Amino acid sequence: MKFPVPPSVVPVDNILPDEPLLMMGAGPVPIPHKVASANSVVINHLGDTMNKVIDQVKTMARYVFQTSSSHVMGVSGPASAAMEMAIANLVEPGARVLSVCNGVFSRRLAEMVTRVGGEVVRLDAPEKECARAEAVAEMLKQGRFKVLTLVQGETSNTVWNRELVEICRLGKSHGCLNVVDAVCTLSTMPMEMDDWLVDAVITGGQKGLSSIPGVSLIAFSDDAWSCIERRNAPMAHWCLDARLADQFWDKKAYHYTAPVSGILALHEALRLICDETLPIRFRRHAVCSAALQGGVEAMGLKLLIAPESRLNSVIGITVPEGIDANRIRHVMSELHKVEISGAFGLNILRIGQMGEQSRTHNLFRTLHALGSAMRIEGGKVNMPAGMAEMERILASGA
Ligand SMILES: *Cc1c(COP(=O)(O)O)cnc(C)c1O
């Protein structure tokens, strides 16, 4: 034996804080108790019980994606694995892809294209602005593309691609398959896969859906599916091969051992969404996000993105000169047990409004923690004005 003595570690309970942190960052987000409890069960990954679960997950996912496509499947892995599944299956080596980029996640899609041998042309939106359909139309005129990729919401800089519907219409009219990353937005704002001519929609568990991280969802349109069936180039990825995954998700046969507990959690998360209904859920997110934005501004802080390109699902706050975003996060976490996010390199703070984050009690606790941390770090904020404005917007339901 090279290592005869086992390592000495403490149980996980001793590592976790006594008081769980309120997860108000860019994901993962808090999960409802029922989702946590579904996630604690292990069942056979094949057989009648699992088949029922799979059928219902697909039925509910169709509602959430607003599609009648039968090619809806779960993916074992982060949302990035679902992104990779879309790209790896739809892009053959040498295929030209137009990647509309706003930030980290949309550029990740572009990089994935390059890695599977696709030829990517990037259209970068101006900083802090949504991508314009006009600019996409210009690019589409210049050359034939097989696939167009874009994000609905760019979590990294909190930009909303509000012209997505028009961009997808353009993509389709130029013969592209439209691949849309709806990871942070799905079930927080409208996404109508069929009506908007989207060919692949990707989402993760840990954001809008308020499920656990590591089990994701993807839906392919009939057009996307026939492209996958016609594919000649070999698939480098075995786990992410959509035709193999279909064995499990459609034919109920073995592909790999499905993450049964995670799928049960996803089932419960989707069921709660169906219970709430999409219009009411969208409204809840819109009101809560507006209240948070209004509260932050009334407190005297600035939001990063102008209203016309601003995402509701994650809001970006500019940190005043001389104050360190990391210090603010540290104080919020240590003192108030509220966790929010920084950003990739920018001195900003990001607060999520996805799923369970969009609850009145979580909003007040978060805004208070933010204001208090700002004061402690020497910032000038008007906390009463912020709280009052938040309360006013919530009460007016606007
Ligand atoms: C979080 C996020 C991802 C990546 O999700 P992972 O589960 O970390 O892989 C991709 N796209 C967007 C828009 C996201 O918000």
Side-chain angles (χ1 to χ4, degrees):
M1 254 184 152
K2 189 175 175 192
F3 302 108
V5 182
S8 159
V9 298
V10 298
V12 80
D13 269 352
N14 299 14
I15 303 173
L16 293 172
D18 293 336
E19 168 73 23
L21 299 182
L22 178 60
M23 301 294 286
M24 294 298 285
V29 310
I31 56 174
H33 180 69
K34 284 179 178 167
V35 172
S37 131
N39 188 45
S40 69
V41 178
V42 174
I43 61 170
N44 189 351
H45 66 112
L46 299 167
D48 289 348
T49 308
M50 195 61 195
N51 292 349
K52 257 184 224 151
V53 172
I54 293 297
D55 280 342
Q56 292 196 1
V57 165
K58 288 178 70 173
T59 304
M60 294 187 289
R62 272 188 213 114
Y63 169 68
V64 176
F65 285 125
Q66 290 288 294
T67 182
S68 54
S69 169
S70 51
H71 307 290
V72 175
M73 46 187 87
V75 184
S76 301
S80 300
M83 291 158 81
E84 205 140 44
M85 189 177 197
I87 300 298
N89 285 276
L90 295 175
V91 179
E92 293 193 34
R96 279 167 58 79
V97 176
L98 178 59
S99 283
V100 178
C101 294
N102 309 81
V104 172
F105 294 111
S106 33
R107 288 200 293 265
R108 185 176 291 176
L109 279 167
E111 188 190 335
M112 286 169 173
V113 170
T114 309
R115 286 180 179 226
V116 297
E119 209 183 295
V120 81
V121 174
R122 253 173 63 173
L123 171 63
D124 290 298
E127 209 183 327
K128 299 188 194 173
E129 285 177 31
C130 66
R132 299 292 174 194
E134 216 170 81
V136 175
E138 265 319 297
M139 296 298 285
L140 287 170
K141 265 192 228 149
Q142 289 172 26
R144 289 189 62 79
F145 295 97
K146 196 174 166 237
V147 172
L148 183 151
T149 67
L150 85 158
V151 294
Q152 184 173 28
E154 178 54 69
T155 319
S156 61
N157 60 1
T158 68
V159 164
W160 169 41
N161 272 327
R162 68 179 310 145
E163 295 186 11
L164 178 137
V165 181
E166 179 61 10
I167 291 172
C168 287
R169 201 188 56 74
L170 283 165
K172 206 70 184 169
S173 70
H174 284 79
C176 295
L177 293 171
N178 295 316
V179 174
V180 173
D181 170 338
V183 178
C184 72
T185 47
L186 194 76
S187 89
T188 73
M189 61 170 71
M191 160 48 66
E192 309 203 357
M193 179 175 174
D194 288 3
D195 284 358
W196 295 358
L197 310 173
V198 181
D199 294 292
V201 187
I202 297 144
T203 200
Q206 79 277 23
K207 305 219 181 149
L209 300 184
S210 259
S211 184
I212 58 156
V215 179
S216 305
L217 270 177
I218 189 165
F220 293 104
S221 69
D222 288 340
D223 283 356
W225 198 257
S226 40
C227 163
I228 289 169
E229 283 186 323
R230 282 198 315 269
R231 184 188 167 98
N232 291 317
M235 269 288 293
H237 295 271
W238 188 86
C239 286
L240 297 179
D241 186 326
R243 281 174 291 192
L244 294 181
D246 196 52
Q247 286 299 309
F248 178 74
W249 286 90
D250 205 42
K251 318 279 179 331
K252 314 284 176 22
Y254 176 66
H255 173 207
Y256 52 72
T257 307
V260 286
S261 315
I263 293 174
L264 289 170
L266 186 61
H267 181 285
E268 188 55 22
L270 290 168
R271 197 189 63 75
L272 292 170
I273 295 173
C274 292
D275 251 11
E276 184 175 16
T277 77
L278 285 176
I280 292 176
R281 193 174 172 91
F282 296 153
R283 181 106 193 112
R284 169 162 68 84
H285 282 87
V287 172
C288 283
S289 187
L292 180 61
Q293 292 171 33
V296 165
E297 287 186 312
M299 213 157 71
L301 297 170
K302 290 205 163 48
L303 297 174
L304 179 69
I305 304 296
E308 60 271 16
S309 300
R310 189 183 299 156
L311 184 62
N312 269 344
S313 326
V314 184
I315 71 157
I317 302 163
T318 306
V319 176
E321 196 90 26
I323 292 179
D324 178 1
N326 284 331
R327 286 290 316 158
I328 300 293
R329 291 177 53 222
H330 178 77
V331 173
M332 287 177 73
S333 168
E334 289 291 313
L335 198 62
H336 300 291
K337 314 294 177 201
V338 176
E339 191 102 327
I340 66 168
S341 298
F344 308 88
L346 307 166
N347 194 36
I348 64 165
L349 292 165
R350 292 177 303 153
I351 302 180
Q353 278 304 284
M354 299 176 281
E356 291 308 296
Q357 293 176 324
S358 288
R359 300 282 181 200
T360 309
H361 49 279
N362 292 338
L363 292 181
F364 282 109
R365 190 168 149 197
T366 304
L367 189 65
H368 169 263
L370 174 67
S372 157
M374 282 283 173
R375 270 187 186 166
I376 289 170
E377 288 300 308
K380 279 196 205 64
V381 287
N382 186 341
M383 279 172 68
M387 299 306 253
E389 180 62 4
M390 177 179 265
E391 181 124 46
R392 189 192 66 76
I393 297 174
L394 285 170
S396 72

